Amino acid sequence: MAEWKGQSRGTVLGFKIYVFIIKNLGLYASYFVLLFVAAYFIVFSFSSTKSTYYLFRKRLNYSALSSIFQIYKSYFTFGRIQLDRIAIGAGLKKKYSFEFDGIHHINDLLAKKKGGILLTAHIGNFNLAQHFFSDKHDSAVVNLIMTDLEHEEIKNYLESVTGKASIKTIILKDDLSHIFVMNEALKNNELLVFAADRYYKDAKTYTEELLGKPTKFPQGPFKLAVRNQIPVLFVHIMREKDFHYHFYARPFEGISASPKELLKAYLGDLEGMVRKYPHQWYNYYDYWNDFNPS
């Protein structure tokens, strides 16, 4: 996997423009503007476009012509999901519907009093998790484990619009201090959420196959779960038609599994999601290290 830069795209000005449009012209007007923004990125974000074409053409086996159209749809879908995040947080939640598929597994996990690990990916819209948990699990304390995925300025602006997120964050640190914070959270029967389809710089990795080709994944979440016998769920929040979001929670059924066995189960679940929702997986870089192999 080529090195991921650890930050999301976007500027505060861009978010301010969209917030202005949503509040003054409505959500559909913001989607209309997005039609042109998605086209802009096809032309002016060539490396992302190249990587997305490869995903559809080589990994998902779309035709060459179809793969070109899928790039645009992928960019548009990504933008629409970001707009939904803003709209829901800014008071338009009633416009959306939410489906809780397997949510009872959260109860089962919390009942074990060992904390829990939720394995997700850069897919769908897990940023909406706070709305799902506030509706069904007020007692659950959720910690999102992350590098600095968003520029602090953007994060602060979004919180000024949508309110401060109820989900806590634990930032991965070079001094490994995050390990003590995670262990304390687990002792308090809290949930740790890992987007385990990317690894950060200098992290220890496993090599395993995804969508027919090997690439690297972080060892940390899988070792933590297996060595400490922490219950694991695979979770995703996916956008469907008509402003509908679908929450998936599936338990890992392995017993005395190795970390690599847990990783393989996670990748099996993730691959199923990517094939079902191919435009909602957002790794816009040389994921399989095909263009600059080392």
Side-chain angles (χ1 to χ4, degrees):
M1 189 188 296
E3 183 181 342
W4 167 60
K5 303 302 182 183
Q7 293 177 328
S8 300
R9 287 188 175 274
T11 64
V12 171
L13 176 60
F15 281 107
K16 284 184 176 180
I17 291 171
Y18 273 120
V19 169
F20 175 83
I21 293 172
I22 290 172
K23 288 187 173 181
N24 293 277
L25 300 176
L27 190 56
Y28 285 106
S30 68
Y31 288 163
F32 178 75
V33 173
L34 184 60
L35 292 171
F36 302 97
V37 174
Y40 170 89
F41 275 103
I42 288 179
V43 177
F44 293 100
S45 185
F46 180 74
S47 61
S48 298
T49 296
K50 183 179 179 182
S51 298
T52 306
Y53 176 85
Y54 178 87
L55 167 66
F56 285 98
R57 182 74 180 102
K58 300 296 185 181
R59 300 293 102 225
L60 296 173
N61 299 315
Y62 284 66
S63 69
L65 182 60
S66 177
S67 295
I68 294 172
F69 286 106
Q70 306 313 318
I71 297 169
Y72 180 82
K73 187 172 181 180
S74 179
Y75 285 170
F76 180 82
T77 302
F78 174 75
R80 184 169 58 177
I81 280 177
Q82 300 311 307
L83 291 174
D84 289 347
R85 173 188 177 186
I86 296 171
I88 291 172
L92 296 178
K93 184 177 178 180
K94 290 183 179 180
K95 187 174 183 63
Y96 297 81
S97 59
F98 302 90
E99 180 177 352
F100 300 88
D101 184 353
I103 196 75
H104 63 281
H105 294 304
I106 302 290
N107 278 333
D108 297 340
L109 184 148
L110 292 173
K112 296 178 181 179
K113 302 295 183 181
K114 298 176 68 175
I117 289 178
L118 309 184
L119 295 178
T120 186
H122 295 85
I123 189 170
N125 198 353
F126 201 81
N127 286 308
L128 296 182
Q130 61 180 313
H131 301 286
F132 283 87
F133 281 97
S134 64
D135 283 351
K136 297 291 184 179
H137 288 283
D138 279 336
S139 62
V141 179
V142 182
N143 300 269
L144 184 61
I145 313 302
M146 57 190 294
T147 57
D148 189 12
L149 295 181
E150 292 182 313
H151 296 289
E152 194 67 23
E153 190 179 4
I154 293 176
K155 181 180 177 182
N156 290 340
Y157 175 67
L158 285 177
E159 287 186 352
S160 74
V161 175
T162 65
K164 191 170 181 65
S166 59
I167 291 181
K168 298 160 62 178
T169 58
I170 298 176
I171 305 297
L172 298 172
K173 301 288 188 179
D174 291 338
D175 62 5
L176 303 182
S177 59
H178 57 271
I179 293 175
F180 300 101
V181 180
M182 288 191 289
N183 286 335
E184 187 64 26
L186 291 170
K187 287 180 182 178
N188 293 330
N189 200 30
E190 297 179 11
L191 306 178
L192 304 181
V193 181
F194 293 87
D197 56 337
R198 293 178 189 167
Y199 65 95
Y200 64 97
K201 186 179 179 181
D202 299 326
K204 293 182 179 180
T205 60
Y206 292 124
T207 298
E208 197 55 67
E209 188 175 285
L210 176 64
L211 293 170
K213 188 168 184 179
T215 189
K216 294 180 180 180
F217 301 92
Q219 293 184 8
F222 307 99
K223 284 185 174 180
L224 177 66
V226 171
R227 290 178 177 177
N228 296 282
Q229 297 183 324
I230 302 168
V232 173
L233 295 178
F234 305 136
V235 296
H236 307 288
I237 300 177
M238 310 305 297
R239 194 187 201 279
E240 296 181 341
K241 294 180 179 180
D242 301 324
F243 299 96
H244 182 72
Y245 275 92
H246 190 147
F247 177 97
Y248 292 90
R250 298 290 183 267
F252 171 60
E253 302 289 359
I255 300 175
S256 300
S258 70
K260 287 206 75 171
E261 288 173 330
L262 174 57
L263 170 60
K264 288 180 181 179
Y266 163 76
L267 294 177
D269 177 82
L270 175 59
E271 183 164 325
M273 284 289 140
V274 174
R275 293 190 181 279
K276 186 172 183 178
Y277 303 93
H279 306 98
Q280 294 188 47
W281 192 45
Y282 311 118
N283 284 305
Y284 294 129
Y285 62 101
D286 185 10
Y287 192 80
W288 286 271
N289 208 32
D290 293 286
F291 310 133
N292 297 291
S294 56

